[in-house]
Each structure stands twice: as structure tokens, then as C-alpha cells.
Amino acid sequence: MKLYFQILVIFSVINCKPKDNFERVRIQDTSIELKQIKFSDISKIENKNNGIEYTKPFNIGLSKEYFPEIEKYKFEQPKIYRRDTTNLNTQISYFFTKNDSIVRLIEYSWNQDDLKEHFIDNLYKSNKDMISKRLSQKGIEKFEKIDYWWQKIVRWDNDSTHIYSFIFGIDEGQRTRIIVRFK
């Protein structure tokens, strides 16, 4: 009984922490593929990065805005992984074509966690700096604000690859994505 009471007291103390004492989110680089890969490379990449595959309970498609040349290809359902990068969850979606198993688009995504401090803006800046450094070029950044939402988009282009990093925000929260699209 005494042990039970001690455990109860410990749990009570833990739960009485002030609400503003949130765990700090540590931003660290995520392994981002900037070169085109094949379907067979996905599991090697995710094994190396401790990715865990999972399936969404619905079909996922691409729009013309996400992939302008979509009518040229027939896409399979993407392979989706989650990585636990320190205390920050990363979701990676690999979109590949049916006939040749070539990955044509990779999306990296992060959403604000309501239980932690706001970190998405810092993550967006960190990702932007990391990509600019790896490509040895600064991207072209635009800012847009409409009514109750805003977004920043930075873009890098070359002959074979288009990379977009964006952050989208409303009063309730933020999310950021990196889209790597291959020609």
C-alpha cells in the first residue's frame, strides 16, 4: 500500500508541472534525397534512417499543381514512412510510376504538435538553409498573406529537379513541406 501511495504522489507531481514548461523540440537535419531514385532504393534509404512504413486508409493522388506533367504518367500509391528524428516526427511520401518504378516526387512533411512549442518556422528556415547549402545556390522565396492564412515558398530549379519548401500558417498552427520533383 505504501508503494502504491508513493507512485500516486510521483504521478501527481509530474502532472502538476506548469503548462508552459513544454519539452523543447530540437531541430536537426533530415536526410533529404535530392537525386532521383528507383522504387528499389526506398527501403535501403528508410532502413538507414530508421523509417517505419505505414499505409493510409485511403488512396492518395497527385494534383496537377503538385506534379504539372501528371498526364504523362501512371502513378502507384505512394510508399509512406515515418521517421522519429529526435523528438520530431517526419513523414516521407515516395510517389513512383507504375511502368518503370522510378520515383518522380518525394514529399517530406511536418505538422505543428499542439503539445510542444511552435517550431515549424525554425524547421522551415533550417531546411531552407540546408538545401541552399547542398545545392550551392539560394532559392527564390515568396511570401503571401490572404485573410487569415499566410505562406512562404522557396524554390530551387535546375534541368532535372524542382525543389519547393513551403510553410503554411493560420492562427491555430503551422505546417511545412519539402517537395522534390524530378523531370
Side-chain angles (χ1 to χ4, degrees):
M1 186 67 158
K2 186 176 178 181
L3 179 61
Y4 174 76
F5 181 72
Q6 288 174 338
I7 291 172
L8 185 62
V9 169
I10 289 171
F11 280 127
S12 296
V13 170
I14 289 171
N15 287 330
C16 288
K17 283 184 180 178
K19 297 230 185 254
D20 60 351
N21 188 14
F22 295 121
E23 177 183 11
R24 295 190 59 82
V25 175
R26 289 174 289 160
I27 306 298
Q28 72 179 38
D29 287 345
T30 296
S31 176
I32 308 273
E33 294 299 317
L34 299 180
K35 294 187 181 187
Q36 193 163 46
I37 61 172
K38 289 191 162 262
F39 176 82
S40 60
D41 298 323
I42 295 172
S43 60
K44 293 177 214 159
I45 291 166
E46 291 304 323
N47 283 338
K48 180 179 171 186
N49 291 289
N50 299 318
I52 299 169
E53 184 177 1
Y54 77 102
T55 305
K56 295 218 174 180
F58 50 84
N59 286 336
I60 300 171
L62 289 171
S63 68
K64 192 165 179 69
E65 288 77 25
Y66 240 54
F67 198 89
E69 298 172 343
I70 194 164
E71 68 277 348
K72 291 183 181 181
Y73 303 101
K74 180 82 171 151
F75 283 88
E76 282 284 358
Q77 283 299 297
K79 292 283 261 183
I80 302 171
Y81 289 82
R82 285 201 175 146
R83 295 181 193 161
D84 180 8
T85 46
T86 309
N87 54 358
L88 175 64
N89 287 320
T90 303
Q91 178 177 298
I92 302 96
S93 301
Y94 296 91
F95 292 86
F96 58 97
T97 45
K98 249 182 188 182
N99 64 333
D100 56 10
S101 296
I102 294 176
V103 175
R104 307 273 176 192
L105 185 137
I106 305 171
E107 179 191 56
Y108 300 85
S109 62
W110 302 266
N111 292 326
Q112 179 177 304
D113 183 342
D114 292 337
L115 301 176
K116 297 182 174 142
E117 67 184 49
H118 298 279
F119 62 88
I120 295 293
D121 194 51
N122 290 337
L123 178 62
Y124 169 79
K125 290 174 188 171
S126 175
N127 286 338
K128 180 177 73 168
D129 292 345
M130 181 264 303
I131 293 170
S132 292
K133 186 176 178 180
R134 284 186 55 193
L135 295 176
S136 300
Q137 73 181 67
K138 284 192 174 207
I140 299 166
E141 188 170 37
K142 294 181 182 179
F143 177 78
E144 180 178 25
K145 181 169 177 42
I146 299 176
D147 296 328
Y148 61 91
W149 64 271
W150 57 269
Q151 70 178 356
K152 290 183 210 174
I153 300 172
V154 62
R155 175 181 174 157
W156 299 264
D157 293 299
N158 63 36
D159 293 338
S160 63
T161 310
H162 300 289
I163 301 169
Y164 303 88
S165 180
F166 66 89
I167 183 171
F168 173 82
I170 58 175
D171 289 340
E172 292 81 31
Q174 300 174 348
R175 67 177 184 231
T176 187
R177 306 282 186 266
I178 295 174
I179 301 165
V180 183
R181 189 175 70 216
F182 305 99
K183 291 184 179 181

